[in-house]
Amino acid sequence: MPSSAPPLILGSMRFGDWGARLSPAEVARLLAAALDLGIDTLDLADIYGVHTTNALVGAALRHDPSLRPRLHLLAKVGIVMPGSPDNTRHVQHYDLSPTHLGATLGSTLRDLGVARVDTLMLHRYDPRLDADAIAGWVAMQRERGAVRGFGVSNFPAAALPLFRGTLALSAHQIELSAAASQALDEGTHAASRAAGAEVQAWSPLGGGALLADDERGRSLDGIAHDFGLDRAALLLRWVASLPATRVVLGTTRPERLAEAVRAVEHPLPADAWYAVWQAARGRPVP
Ligand SMILES: NC(=O)c1ccc[n+]([C@@H]2O[C@H](COP(=O)([O-])OP(=O)(O)OC[C@H]3O[C@@H](n4cnc5c(N)ncnc54)[C@H](OP(=O)(O)O)[C@@H]3O)[C@@H](O)[C@H]2O)c1
């Protein structure tokens, strides 16, 4: 990430059938607004919208061909949904075999209408994974120009060294908000940094749950007020105050992007950072 860029990524999970049902033109407008603010990274996954959102993004890229060259595409693969044709037992599972990765990288490139994704990410940890086989497969995809960087998502801290010596991890995408902060308690955030991976924090607003009008929310509002922020901005600032961490935004509204950029311009001071954590999780640190 260039040092002047805001530490933000735009997430696509809610663009289509799993959220706002934007049209291709609306997605194109959202992407253009993000790029104009310096947010150049777009998070994607083959399963979003039950395998329809990548195609929606592809239609947006065709609608405005000036977008693709400016975007860094992060594409996640590896989850097999119950309705997938070859999933005979209809059980949600993970498959990180080169055969599955090859098929889903292929459908990702086709749906997006692009020749390459900038970073390919394994969406979930599969305890059956063969790190050497994955490293060999990624090397082949790099050679043919279909993939540049490699990352993982939702891996336990202890699994990150599996790729040590074979494959550099550019990023680790994990759930991280003031309320869902297990990654800090359990050391996943620290382990990602130690592995040299950028942390990408998904659901920074708890999927919107942290915006409810309840007691917890009102105490967050009090802290936000001291910084001239609203609650959502305070929560984004809380995540972006962590080192080596970018925030994966879930909004589908262009007008919220500028607010997010303002939110992450400065880190919170230590006492305010801990006050937010305490208010959100309901107990002080020891
Ligand atoms: N790696 C993984 O396993 C994984 C899992 C989940 C998500 N992700 C990625 O992370 C991204 C973000 O996740 P998320 O969507 O759960 O993030 P989030 O930012 O926690 O939640 C987004 C939701 O909050 C709403 N929201 C945002 N700002 C608001 C505000 N100021 N006031 C009221 N509502 C507001 C949004 O509505 P509006 O659209 O109306 O703003 C949207 O419904 C996803 O798009 C996806 O790319 C990755």
Side-chain angles (χ1 to χ4, degrees):
M1 123 180 85
S3 57
S4 58
L8 296 171
I9 291 169
L10 182 61
S12 65
M13 185 176 74
R14 298 177 195 271
F15 285 4
D17 286 356
W18 284 0
R21 297 181 186 276
L22 302 178
S23 68
E26 288 168 326
V27 172
R29 268 200 296 282
L30 182 64
L31 297 178
L35 284 164
D36 289 347
L37 290 163
I39 307 169
D40 68 354
T41 306
L42 176 63
D43 181 57
L44 305 153
D46 61 329
I47 60 163
Y48 288 168
V50 193
H51 300 283
T52 59
T53 301
N54 276 348
L56 169 62
V57 171
L61 299 181
R62 283 194 301 282
H63 180 86
D64 181 351
S66 74
L67 295 171
R68 170 59 185 117
R70 301 168 68 199
L71 278 171
H72 183 108
L73 301 176
L74 296 179
K76 301 193 295 301
V77 293
I79 298 181
V80 183
M81 298 187 80
S84 296
D86 51 350
N87 188 355
T88 50
R89 291 186 187 277
H90 309 292
V91 60
Q92 167 112 346
H93 63 278
Y94 312 137
D95 187 347
L96 305 182
S97 65
T99 306
H100 180 76
L101 295 179
T104 47
L105 173 62
S107 60
T108 296
L109 296 174
R110 268 195 310 280
D111 287 348
L112 293 169
V114 299
R116 181 197 76 229
V117 293
D118 299 286
T119 303
L120 187 80
M121 292 187 123
L122 308 181
H123 203 154
R124 290 269 166 185
Y125 171 63
D126 177 358
R128 308 168 311 137
L129 74 78
D130 177 341
D132 288 340
I134 293 171
W137 178 82
V138 170
M140 272 167 43
Q141 302 315 311
R142 280 192 170 131
E143 236 164 73
R144 76 178 184 101
V147 166
R148 272 190 184 154
F150 172 75
V152 296
S153 181
N154 306 306
F155 269 44
L160 294 174
L162 287 172
F163 294 104
R164 192 183 288 152
T166 53
L167 204 46
L169 288 183
S170 64
H172 188 196
Q173 196 173 112
I174 53 178
E175 181 175 22
L176 183 50
S177 68
S181 57
Q182 300 86 337
L184 304 182
D185 294 314
E186 293 165 6
T188 318
H189 187 276
S192 309
R193 291 175 66 196
E198 170 193 67
V199 175
Q200 300 177 350
W202 61 260
S203 288
L205 304 176
L210 283 167
L211 303 173
D213 187 21
D214 51 17
E215 197 183 325
R216 172 172 74 175
R218 285 187 286 277
S219 58
L220 291 169
D221 289 341
I223 305 168
H225 182 261
D226 294 342
F227 292 91
L229 301 172
D230 66 13
R231 196 194 309 172
L234 176 76
L235 291 164
L236 297 179
R237 183 170 292 191
W238 186 88
V239 178
S241 296
L242 290 161
T245 302
R246 271 199 291 176
V247 179
V248 190
L249 297 172
T251 191
T252 53
R253 301 188 196 209
E255 65 273 17
R256 288 204 168 131
L257 295 173
E259 293 164 19
V261 170
R262 268 195 306 279
V264 301
E265 260 167 11
H266 308 287
L268 285 171
D271 58 345
W273 192 88
Y274 278 94
V276 170
W277 201 15
Q278 175 174 319
R281 67 184 197 155
R283 60 184 194 286
V285 293

